[in-house]
Amino acid sequence: MVAEPDGSKGAPDDASEDRKPQSDEARSAFVPPAGVEQPAPPEEEHPTSEFALPQGLTAEPPAEQEGSAFTTPAGHSAAFAKNSPAFTPAYGVPLVRLPQDAPWQDRMRTMLRLPVHERPVPEAAGKEDETGPSVPRVLDLTLRIGELLLAGGEGAEDVETAMFVICRSYGLDRVEPTVTFTLLSVTYQPSLVDAPITANRTVRRRGTDYTRLAAVYTLLADINARAHEVTPEEAYRRLAEIRRNRHPYPGWVLTAAAGVLAGAASVLLGGGPTVFLVAALGAVLGDRLAWLCAGRGLPEFYQFLVAAMPPAAMGVLLTLLHADLRPSAVITGGLFALIPGRALVAAVQDGLTGFYITASARLLEVAYFFVAIVVGVLSVLYIAVQFDAQLNPEGALRAVERPVTQILASMVLCATFAILLQQSRATVLFATLNGGVAWVIYASIAVTAQGSTVMATAVAAGLVGLFGQLIARYHHTSSLPYVTAAIGPLLPGSATYFGVLAIAQNNLDQGFASLAKAAALALAIAIGVNLGGELARLFMQAPGAASARRAAKRTRGF
């Protein structure tokens, strides 16, 4: 048995342990060895980054940030920030409230002219059930109604307003309707994270039926009214009935109205009973030829061209027979029913409200129709000049003052014009009275006071637009039935004829000057009607809470 060592031999020696070198595991590689001077402690806790700026260099000043919508620009006071349109105050943006008693056209037009994020949401979707109507079905109904309005001659902004009120009535608040000359589009976005739904519809046929237009406005009023629960299915049924509705006047009444219109216009320009009958006969022949071309599928350009030829031929026939009549009154009377006055008014209205593409297309359409009328009349007059027909425009320019006869003739002209536009019988009377007042104003300035014809036309057209817009808002319908027929006596038929006659007689300067006057008169009518409609809204309750409705665009040339 081996004895254990004693304590003196088995205990470790502390001094000898200190003299032994430590292994690599016993000490850190970052600790200085014994006898080496310890480094100074770092100034900072963390080591220096390799991206730090070297000593002795200065940092580049930070770039100036762009102005924010939530901060006041440097150098401006708090008052500037308060009045700046880009500044959002602490109390938020004032909420736009639309009173329910204001006309729905003004309320929806105000909504359209607001950005999407500023539009108030519908208080309640009164036309929907718990699940709400089908979005594609509402959009399709919206496009079908918009198609009828645009095809009937309504302005682009009025069509967008009608489309917007339908979507809002059925609970679709985030919608953007878009209207061009032949294309309707509406986009609905349920939320910021959902994909938008877009539907389109093309307008391929246009027609003039103001009775159908009034029925569409009645449907729109019922859809928007809280007292009526018009479901999409019921709206579809009523829309189908409107489409199937027959015109209020048969074809023979329209042809007779065209003849009476031309005869009344010839009397307005100084003609007598014989001139009335000859002008009416020429207009009836032109109307029948136009219907014949339409039945054969010819474009409207050729329909206007052939419709302008019979009145010109009747005037030339009177000249060749050496009848002591006024051939110029016969020809001019036949042109009154052909000049596209409403299309021109709609084109200028679209341009003034910011729809420049639609306005350009409408103006191009008016130019084509105007050229067709000029070509038709010019062809007949050129042939007449070859046969030495003594067409003297100087003798036709004599002013004729027959106040009572001319006022009655202007009212007959407006009444027959209203029949041609397929207006309901309830609107014919007011359109007739409105046109008679317009002629009195025009004759007072242009004939009695010998003022400018352009100024007289603009003033008379402004009153037509003012009265027509007021009565339309009273009945909650379109202003077209009360305005279009009333501008009939103001149409530039005489200036158009004299310009074409001067060109046929190789007096180009005089001819183009007269055509330019006709264009100026037409623009005066369009601007006057639009201005009168805008003035009418000044007498109505403002649809906004703080201010009147916003303009379509606010620019200063940039």
Side-chain angles (χ1 to χ4, degrees), residues 114-172:
L114 287 173
V116 178
H117 62 277
E118 295 183 13
R119 295 174 183 171
V121 298
E123 293 84 355
K127 312 299 185 299
E128 59 178 326
D129 52 16
E130 295 180 358
T131 59
S134 173
V135 172
R137 193 167 180 81
V138 173
L139 297 184
D140 180 72
L141 176 65
T142 301
L143 291 174
R144 290 178 182 274
I145 293 179
E147 178 189 9
L148 279 180
L149 294 177
L150 187 62
E154 278 287 6
E157 189 178 32
D158 294 328
V159 177
E160 282 195 1
T161 303
M163 295 171 64
F164 192 72
V165 74
I166 298 171
C167 295
R168 293 274 300 187
S169 299
Y170 290 112
L172 307 184

Side-chain angles (χ1 to χ4, degrees), residues 48-395:
T48 304
S49 171
E50 62 180 1
F51 299 102
L53 194 66
Q55 187 177 4
L57 297 180
T58 58
E60 182 180 358
E64 183 179 357
Q65 297 182 355
E66 296 181 358
S68 171
F70 304 99
T71 58
T72 304
H76 293 81
S77 62
F80 171 84
K82 183 177 180 180
N83 298 326
S84 175
F87 177 74
T88 303
Y91 50 81
V93 179
L95 179 64
V96 177
R97 299 185 182 275
L98 304 178
Q100 294 298 324
D101 54 347
W104 65 265
Q105 294 95 329
D106 284 342
R107 289 190 289 111
M108 293 301 109
R109 187 178 287 109
T110 302
M111 296 280 291
L112 279 175
R113 293 181 177 184
L114 287 173
V116 178
H117 62 277
E118 295 183 13
R119 295 174 183 171
V121 298
E123 293 84 355
K127 312 299 185 299
E128 59 178 326
D129 52 16
E130 295 180 358
T131 59
S134 173
V135 172
R137 193 167 180 81
V138 173
L139 297 184
D140 180 72
L141 176 65
T142 301
L143 291 174
R144 290 178 182 274
I145 293 179
E147 178 189 9
L148 279 180
L149 294 177
L150 187 62
E154 278 287 6
E157 189 178 32
D158 294 328
V159 177
E160 282 195 1
T161 303
M163 295 171 64
F164 192 72
V165 74
I166 298 171
C167 295
R168 293 274 300 187
S169 299
Y170 290 112
L172 307 184
D173 56 323
R174 301 182 64 89
V175 293
E176 282 295 337
T178 304
V179 175
T180 59
F181 185 58
T182 57
L183 181 65
L184 298 171
S185 175
V186 59
T187 301
Y188 169 65
Q189 188 172 11
S191 65
L192 295 177
V193 296
D194 294 329
I197 303 173
T198 303
N200 300 321
R201 193 171 184 88
T202 303
V203 180
R204 303 190 182 277
R205 295 191 60 185
R206 299 177 183 273
T208 304
D209 189 344
Y210 285 176
T211 302
R212 179 180 298 174
L213 194 67
V216 173
Y217 267 85
T218 303
L219 175 60
L220 288 173
D222 292 342
I223 291 176
N224 181 67
R226 293 182 176 274
H228 296 77
E229 292 291 338
V230 181
T231 62
E233 289 72 20
E234 183 180 355
Y236 267 108
R237 179 185 58 80
R238 293 178 58 178
L239 187 62
E241 293 177 355
I242 292 173
R243 287 182 175 274
R244 290 195 302 264
N245 187 25
R246 297 178 59 87
H247 298 306
Y249 307 104
W252 67 269
V253 174
L254 298 180
T255 301
V260 176
L261 187 152
S266 64
V267 174
L268 197 65
L269 299 174
T274 305
V275 172
F276 178 93
L277 295 176
V278 175
L281 179 60
V284 168
L285 293 176
D287 181 77
R288 288 293 90 193
L289 284 178
W291 277 100
L292 180 63
C293 293
R296 296 295 185 271
L298 291 178
E300 287 183 310
F301 179 87
Y302 301 105
Q303 298 177 29
F304 274 78
L305 190 149
V306 299
M309 297 179 71
M314 298 300 293
V316 170
L317 182 62
L318 290 180
T319 303
L320 294 177
L321 294 177
H322 301 285
D324 188 17
L325 300 173
R326 298 175 67 92
S328 61
V330 173
I331 299 175
T332 303
L335 300 181
F336 265 76
L338 300 178
I339 298 176
R342 175 55 205 170
L344 181 64
V345 171
V348 175
Q349 178 181 355
D350 290 342
L352 294 176
T353 52
F355 294 84
Y356 299 115
I357 296 178
T358 307
S360 302
R362 289 185 188 271
L363 285 175
L364 185 60
E365 181 187 39
V366 171
Y368 270 105
F369 293 161
F370 193 77
V371 169
I373 296 172
V374 170
V375 171
V377 177
L378 187 60
S379 301
V380 176
L381 295 183
Y382 181 77
I383 297 175
V385 170
Q386 303 305 315
F387 284 93
D388 296 330
Q390 301 298 322
L391 296 170
N392 183 17
E394 298 298 331

